[in-house]
Amino acid sequence: MKLTVPVIGTAISYEDGGYGDPDDPIRLVELNLGNVSWQLIKLDLDEDVAEIEVLPGELIAEDTGEVDGEGKPIYAMRPATNKEKQAFLNYARTLIQGHTKEELYNMSGSAKLKKPKKKR
Amino acid sequence: MPLDVAKRGTLDVKDPPLGAIVAANDNYDKGYHEGNPGGLDAIDTDLAPGNIKSGITIFGKLGTLTATLVDDTTGSDPINQGGAGGGCYSGTVSVAAGGNANIASCTPTFDANSRAVAVAVIGCCGSYADSTKLQVIMGGVQVAESGFTPMCNTCQTMIVVGIRALSGAQACIARFHNYKGTGETLYFFTRASGSLCSGGIGVGSVKTT
């Protein structure tokens, strides 16, 4: 599943599609997309967005109802069902596509991407 | 009536402009061209099959150029987490709420025409469900992110792969990000308490000639 997500951080160059500050890298707006993983397809520093390919998580944590010696709940990991995987993707899609770019920045509390001026 | 042969004509007839096709641009203006017996490739010697992509024909020149991939560079950094620990885990790292923890990085120097792959690998688990994720940063750009770190009593190997075009010296970093509102502690597992955990980041790249 492909999603287009706003990006934050500090861009230091437009070469090769863009380079960022390793201490404040160009990255997705810091919202929890849920139990999914993703890879970058394309970075667009004109629109300040990244197109990513999203995959559902393969495992899901289940509360066993027991607690450890420190009183923390003990979870067990099990394979996610196809229905659960689809729910993971639906959650990520709804979160991103259900809000405007401004709303996503506001929800995350992140500052917008800082970019150098482009040469004419 | 006889013609007045002393009258001089006043009709202004312009000669057509003399133009030329030049190698510096692709202008092809109206006008008179003297031509070139050697053809277009005499005007611009770069118009040659070896400079045209294979299978493409430009002004009758069928291209033969094919890109060749060759090795560029590699880099790696092991995770230096380890030390005294209880039970079967060795080493921990704390990640603040909403924060990050770099766990491995290297800075290879890439060719101008290279494409790099970075792989972050680690066996670990966390204290809380749905809290932290493993990320790969290449050239200051986040290129990949894992699913959630497994829970405390089910340590698993996490692998995250990123791909990017890079040139020059560029840092490639494996780090954890905590999406939860509370601090997280990650545990790295080894066979013997006190030894360094296995894992790190590896980078390789190829370039075209």
Side-chain angles (χ1 to χ4, degrees):
Chain A
M1 177 182 75
K2 289 181 173 56
L3 291 176
T4 299
V5 186
V7 293
I8 62 173
T10 300
I12 59 176
S13 167
Y14 293 97
E15 292 180 25
D16 298 331
Y19 289 105
D21 181 350
D23 295 324
D24 185 25
I26 302 170
R27 59 195 185 276
L28 301 190
V29 65
E30 284 176 358
L31 290 171
N32 189 344
L33 297 181
N35 196 2
V36 297
S37 62
W38 60 264
Q39 281 194 322
L40 178 69
I41 298 172
K42 184 184 174 187
L43 181 62
D44 184 342
L45 293 186
D46 290 327
E47 298 295 327
D48 297 358
V49 295
E51 185 183 16
I52 61 173
E53 179 70 47
V54 181
L55 293 174
E58 293 291 329
L59 301 174
I60 189 168
E62 270 191 333
D63 190 339
T64 61
E66 301 173 10
V67 294
D68 62 13
E70 297 175 1
K72 293 178 185 174
I74 295 177
Y75 288 82
M77 305 297 292
R78 63 161 175 84
T81 65
N82 287 336
K83 191 175 177 182
E84 288 168 331
K85 289 181 184 179
Q86 189 57 50
F88 299 155
L89 294 178
N90 291 343
Y91 177 86
R93 182 194 305 114
T94 302
L95 175 65
I96 299 301
Q97 296 182 347
H99 297 90
T100 65
K101 198 170 159 184
E102 283 301 316
E103 287 172 338
L104 291 173
Y105 279 122
N106 291 336
M107 288 160 62
S108 71
S110 307
K112 293 183 181 176
L113 180 70
K114 295 179 274 294
K115 298 187 291 189
K117 288 183 181 177
K118 272 189 174 181
K119 292 180 183 177
R120 291 188 182 180
Chain B
M1 178 184 302
L3 292 174
D4 184 348
V5 297
K7 289 284 186 185
R8 178 174 291 277
T10 59
L11 179 63
D12 188 12
V13 178
K14 292 191 188 295
D15 289 332
L18 180 61
I21 296 173
V22 296
N25 58 59
D26 62 355
N27 295 342
Y28 190 27
D29 298 324
K30 275 186 179 180
Y32 168 67
H33 291 255
E34 289 184 320
N36 189 316
L40 290 176
D41 52 345
I43 297 171
D44 190 340
T45 54
D46 286 334
L47 182 62
N51 291 335
I52 301 170
K53 185 178 174 183
S54 176
I56 302 295
T57 300
I58 299 177
F59 288 120
K61 304 291 182 185
L62 177 60
T64 59
L65 177 64
T66 56
T68 303
L69 287 177
V70 297
D71 295 346
D72 178 31
T73 188
T74 61
S76 64
D77 180 45
I79 292 174
N80 292 313
Q81 298 292 337
C88 58
Y89 73 84
S90 181
T92 61
V93 69
S94 298
V95 192
N100 306 296
N102 289 4
I103 55 172
S105 70
C106 60
T107 307
T109 299
F110 301 90
D111 186 85
N113 299 309
S114 82
R115 192 152 182 87
V117 175
V119 182
V121 182
I122 185 166
C124 70
C125 67
S127 303
Y128 299 101
D130 303 345
S131 61
T132 52
K133 293 187 175 183
L134 181 62
Q135 300 176 337
V136 172
I137 313 289
M138 300 174 73
V141 177
Q142 184 188 359
V143 295
E145 183 174 86
S146 70
F148 287 120
T149 311
M151 284 303 298
C152 202
N153 53 332
T154 54
C155 178
Q156 302 222 351
T157 300
M158 302 181 72
I159 304 174
V160 179
V161 182
I163 303 175
R164 257 208 105 197
L166 296 174
S167 64
Q170 301 295 340
C172 295
I173 301 168
R175 73 176 195 180
F176 281 102
H177 178 78
N178 184 0
Y179 284 100
K180 223 166 175 67
T182 54
E184 167 69 286
T185 298
L186 296 168
Y187 300 84
F188 305 102
F189 280 72
T190 61
R191 188 173 182 273
S193 175
S195 55
L196 295 177
C197 83
S198 55
I201 188 167
V203 179
S205 67
V206 293
K207 60 186 178 182
T208 56
T209 58

